[in-house]
Amino acid sequence: MSSIRYRRAQAEAERAARWAGALTRLSLILISFLLNGDFHPDLLPGGEGSAFQQYLGLTLWVTILVATLYLPPLRQMEGSFGIYANWAFYAIAIASAAWSANVESSMMKSAAMLIVLAGAWRLTLTFPWEELLACVQHGLFSICLFSALIAIFVPSIGVMSDYLHAGQWSGLFASKQTLGFCSDMLLYLSTFRLMNDRRNRYSWIGVALAILCLIGSGSRGSGVLAVAAVLATYAMRKWRALGCILAFVPFILTLIGALLIGYLLYTQNRFVVIGGAWLDFTQRTYIWQHALRFFWDAPWFGFGVNGFWTQRNVKDLFLERYQWFLDNYHSGYIAILMETGLVGYILFAIAGLCFALRMNRLVRGRALPERQTSFAIIFACLLYIIDFTETYFMRSTNLRTTMLAIVTALAFSRPLLPSPCRGAADLDQRRKVPPLRLRRGLASASEWM
């Protein structure tokens, strides 16, 4: 009788896991469609300023959190200095709402950040990696498809008419940059999957659709980044040592970001002077310098998430000076510094270094399949490059921020089953080795990560 009850319970658990898996897939596809940027006001219930996307997205993340409780674990988090550094940075960011000038809105953003991060980590530990990428690809494919259709058949919504971007596609979104970023991510994901399955016709269509939207939106920079990411991924398959080098690019970019911030603080310039030329990166340096003027008001722990641009004096002073206003740093590095202070930026840099050392260890030891390590490294490089002129690091619900949390969780966890790239005997032998071995150089340091 007990065996009958056991089989019945096992069947019910398998049925629940199937339903949970289907619900997780659907939720992830919808999240990948909804949480990339603000849709055009005419497409939103409530019009401009509507929080419909964010509320629906958070509801889907809560659904994923609940659904993954019924999925069997596939990976397990490893306690290490690297994962603790990442947790410390996110803890500072979430807690910073407590000292924000606008506590109510900051608390909402912090709560959203906590829900999304928890969902992303649960997803990484319980959901197959290949299916995760496929769901994200489906969401981005839908975005580009509907954006192209709207741009062609409803140009009053899908094509921009302002004097700076007249004739360029924005598709579903309020800005053409958002469509460009979605297109470059679809191009990279589709090409990445083609490297593993060249007969994947869906990915070939995804490549063509992404190129069409990149051309329509005039996003040359996004296209160049996507092509560079594809070439780097291909090169990593030929030269494994390249992956060890590229893993340090995010950390190096964090240091370059600190140098740029130091330069602007020291010189008080509104421009970056290079070789006698004054560069303002389409007036982004105006925003950077305006924000940094207030840095010394809260140098150690910053103004809190969503606690800087919401201050009346900050907005009024910017409007008086430039006659226009955007509540966006247009630099993820400055966003981290201004919202979490020096403490947050240092933790962020340490987390980037730990990620580099950890990925070096995984690449050299082949502890993960090559496609997973290459995707984690290249995606991190892409996001860190983009954040020099855009703000994704401190976004609470954006898909790119979520994907960074996912690749971080992938890096600092281990599969519960034998790795596809190494046999079970190799895995058992690796587990018998003490977790820390005293060796010199990079290999020794990576053991801590």
Side-chain angles (χ1 to χ4, degrees), residues 62 69 137 140 154 184 236 266 318 333 368:
V62 172
L69 296 176
Q137 183 187 19
L140 294 171
V154 193
D184 78 348
M236 280 181 62
Y266 177 75
F318 194 93
Y333 301 95
L368 282 178

Side-chain angles (χ1 to χ4, degrees), residues 136-158:
V136 174
Q137 183 187 19
H138 294 331
L140 294 171
F141 185 96
S142 302
I143 284 174
C144 291
L145 176 61
F146 284 113
S147 291
L149 292 175
I150 286 179
I152 294 170
F153 296 107
V154 193
S156 60
I157 293 177

Side-chain angles (χ1 to χ4, degrees), residues 181 184 188 220-230 378 381-382 385-386:
F181 290 143
D184 78 348
Y188 173 57
R220 295 183 296 272
S222 296
V224 170
L225 281 177
V227 172
V230 170
I378 298 302
C381 290
L382 272 177
I385 292 171
I386 290 171

Side-chain angles (χ1 to χ4, degrees), residues 106-172:
S106 296
M107 283 291 184
M108 292 179 64
K109 185 172 180 179
S110 290
M113 190 182 299
L114 180 60
I115 291 170
V116 172
L117 287 173
W121 285 63
R122 283 290 305 167
L123 197 62
T124 309
L125 299 179
T126 59
F127 203 66
W129 176 252
E130 294 294 338
E131 289 191 41
L132 192 156
L133 288 187
C135 290
V136 174
Q137 183 187 19
H138 294 331
L140 294 171
F141 185 96
S142 302
I143 284 174
C144 291
L145 176 61
F146 284 113
S147 291
L149 292 175
I150 286 179
I152 294 170
F153 296 107
V154 193
S156 60
I157 293 177
V159 179
M160 303 197 73
S161 57
D162 62 285
Y163 74 98
L164 285 176
H165 309 106
Q168 294 178 331
W169 290 7
S170 60
L172 294 173

